Amino acid sequence: MLRAQVAAKTDLGRQAKKIMDQGGLVSDEIMIGMIKSELENNQECKNGFILDGFPRTVAQAERLDSMLVARKQTLEHAVELRIDDELLVSRITGRLIHPASGRSYHKIFNPPKSEMTDDITGEPLIQRSDDNEATLKKRLATYHEQTGPVVGYYQKTGIWKGIDASQEPGTVWKSLLGVFDGKSGNVPAGGSLLAKIGLKN
C-alpha cells in the first residue's frame, strides 16, 4: 500500500517519499491516512480488508481503532503467526533465491536438486545479504520489544487468535481460513518442524 501510494504520487505518497528519501520512518499519521484513503476509495475494500504487518506498535493499533470507530467500523480478527525464534532464523537463513525468476528454495525444507543451482535453468542461486543470523536477531529483538505488546492489546479486545506457524504451509493456511470462518481457536507455537532441524525432540 505504501509503495502503491508513492507510485501513484498521491498527496500522502509524496509526503511518504520525501521522508523515505531522507532515510526517515513514515509516521503513524501518514500510514493511518493511507489506510483510510484505501478504505474510502478502493472498491475491493467494500467487502473487507486484510492488513499484513500493521499495526506494529500499540500506538498504531490505538490510532487504527480510532480511525475505524470514526468510520463506524471495527476489526474482526487480529491474527498472530507464532513461531520459535530459532526456527524462524533457520528458515530465513536457509532461504535461496533464483534472481531472474524469483523462484525460492531452502537448504533444509526445499533444497534444489543440485547445490546452489536452479532446478529449471541451472543458473546459480543466491542468498540475500540481509538473510543472516545477526541481522535477523536484531530484527527479532525489535519485534519482541515493539510488536509483542500489540498481542496483549488485541487479547484484551477478544479478537486475537494465535496460529502455530511452525507447521507445514498448507496447514498454516487452513488454520488462517479457519479463523476467518470462525472455526479455529488459539493454537500454541511449537513443534512440528523444530525436530526436523534438530532444535527440539
Side-chain angles (χ1 to χ4, degrees):
M1 180 170 51
L2 179 58
R3 290 190 191 97
Q5 293 258 354
V6 170
K9 297 182 179 177
T10 65
D11 287 341
L12 288 170
R14 283 195 290 270
Q15 290 177 48
K17 186 176 187 306
K18 184 176 180 181
I19 293 167
M20 292 188 308
D21 286 349
Q22 294 170 352
L25 295 174
V26 176
S27 70
D28 293 352
E29 184 179 353
I30 290 176
M31 289 303 301
I32 296 296
M34 287 183 176
I35 294 169
K36 183 172 183 283
S37 174
E38 286 293 317
L39 294 178
E40 290 172 349
N41 301 307
N42 188 336
Q43 290 300 312
E44 293 180 4
C45 292
K46 300 300 180 188
N47 297 319
F49 60 92
I50 295 173
L51 298 175
D52 178 14
F54 189 92
R56 295 189 179 194
T57 66
V58 171
Q60 289 177 349
E62 290 170 342
R63 292 186 85 137
L64 176 63
D65 278 352
S66 296
M67 182 270 288
L68 290 172
V69 166
R71 291 177 48 81
K72 297 181 170 56
Q73 292 180 287
T74 57
L75 293 179
E76 292 181 24
H77 306 287
V79 179
E80 179 192 13
L81 298 177
R82 308 182 74 210
I83 188 167
D84 181 274
D85 282 2
E86 287 183 81
L87 176 55
L88 185 60
V89 169
S90 178
R91 279 184 171 179
I92 295 176
T93 56
R95 190 163 51 184
L96 303 170
I97 307 291
H98 178 241
S101 68
R103 273 187 294 279
S104 63
Y105 300 84
H106 193 279
K107 293 176 182 177
I108 297 170
F109 305 120
N110 180 33
K113 292 172 186 173
S114 298
E115 188 175 351
M116 293 303 292
T117 304
D118 180 52
D119 289 350
I120 296 173
T121 65
E123 294 171 343
L125 301 176
I126 64 161
Q127 191 162 24
R128 283 175 33 176
S129 60
D130 58 345
D131 282 354
N132 65 77
E133 189 168 346
T135 300
L136 291 167
K137 287 191 171 177
K138 284 181 186 175
R139 285 188 195 161
L140 282 167
T142 301
Y143 171 82
H144 291 305
E145 180 184 340
Q146 295 183 1
T147 307
V150 176
V151 170
Y153 176 86
Y154 285 121
Q155 283 175 331
K156 289 176 186 173
T157 69
I159 66 170
W160 175 88
K161 292 287 187 298
I163 290 177
D164 180 0
S166 72
Q167 303 172 97
E168 298 292 342
T171 304
V172 175
W173 180 242
K174 285 179 184 175
S175 296
L176 277 169
L177 294 178
V179 168
F180 300 131
D181 290 338
K183 298 176 183 174
S184 175
N186 297 341
V187 182
S192 53
L193 291 180
L194 292 175
K196 191 170 184 179
I197 59 171
L199 293 177
K200 287 191 180 179
N201 294 324

